[in-house]
Amino acid sequence: MREEKRQRKDIVLNLTDRRYGILHGIAYEYGFSSPAELLEGFVADLTRSKVNNTDSMFEAVTWLNMAFGSRKAISTLYFRQYLYDEDIMPRDIADASRVSGFEDIFKQIYKDYIETGEEKKHQSQEECRDILREWSNEPTKGTNPGTEAHHPGTHAYS
């Protein structure tokens, strides 16, 4: 099954003019129609979502470990990473919120988050509440729910 690609508004590249030009050159040199196509291919390798060519997947992960492996020891457990690690999906939050209410679901998830990685710093309760609202399309005061919640997991949090 082929997934539909969508532009992600929370991923924005900030490049110098020099790096921007070099990236274009690299993309064209390797036969890509644009830098975006090159980066999309790299992300497919890195996330292991390509159907074939496991060598390039291995190489992408190897590059990540060589370039940023030391960052695994970062002292903060980010809430989005916790949601991802626990396979908590936006749909699960929305469904559970209809039964128990958003705040009750949030309190349980936040409690579990704080108990995970006790040796690490955690994001504030307010930051996490905002992230979970955005994640599940739960409206905040004066806003309408969006349509951009995406997560590959399958966990039901109810």
Side-chain angles (χ1 to χ4, degrees), residues 77 82 108-118 122:
L77 175 61
Y82 171 79
Q108 182 61 51
I109 293 173
Y110 189 75
K111 177 182 173 284
D112 294 345
Y113 162 68
I114 293 298
E115 291 172 357
T116 302
E118 292 178 0
H122 294 82

Side-chain angles (χ1 to χ4, degrees), residues 44-143:
D45 285 336
L46 191 60
T47 59
R48 299 172 182 99
S49 57
K50 273 188 165 177
V51 176
N52 54 14
N53 203 351
T54 57
D55 286 344
S56 62
M57 291 179 201
F58 175 77
E59 295 297 328
V61 172
T62 299
W63 169 82
L64 183 66
N65 286 329
M66 286 176 27
F68 302 105
S70 63
R71 291 190 181 184
K72 285 186 175 181
I74 290 177
S75 61
T76 301
L77 175 61
Y78 291 100
F79 191 61
R80 287 182 195 274
Q81 182 63 44
Y82 171 79
L83 295 172
Y84 179 82
D85 288 347
E86 295 299 315
D87 289 330
I88 299 171
M89 294 182 66
R91 180 182 58 234
D92 297 330
I93 303 303
D95 292 347
S97 293
R98 282 193 283 283
V99 174
S100 301
F102 176 82
E103 195 59 32
D104 289 341
I105 298 302
F106 168 73
K107 285 177 184 175
Q108 182 61 51
I109 293 173
Y110 189 75
K111 177 182 173 284
D112 294 345
Y113 162 68
I114 293 298
E115 291 172 357
T116 302
E118 292 178 0
E119 71 284 354
K120 295 190 176 211
K121 294 181 212 165
H122 294 82
Q123 289 179 271
S124 74
Q125 191 170 8
E126 194 54 42
E127 284 177 302
C128 294
R129 183 179 286 110
D130 290 345
I131 289 167
L132 195 63
R133 278 195 174 111
E134 174 190 327
W135 192 260
S136 66
N137 288 322
E138 177 73 19
T140 55
K141 289 182 181 178
T143 64

Side-chain angles (χ1 to χ4, degrees), residues 14-33:
N14 296 303
L15 302 171
T16 64
D17 290 342
R18 182 175 181 275
R19 286 185 177 166
Y20 180 75
I22 291 170
L23 186 59
H24 271 269
I26 293 170
Y28 300 143
E29 179 181 343
Y30 283 88
F32 293 98
S33 63

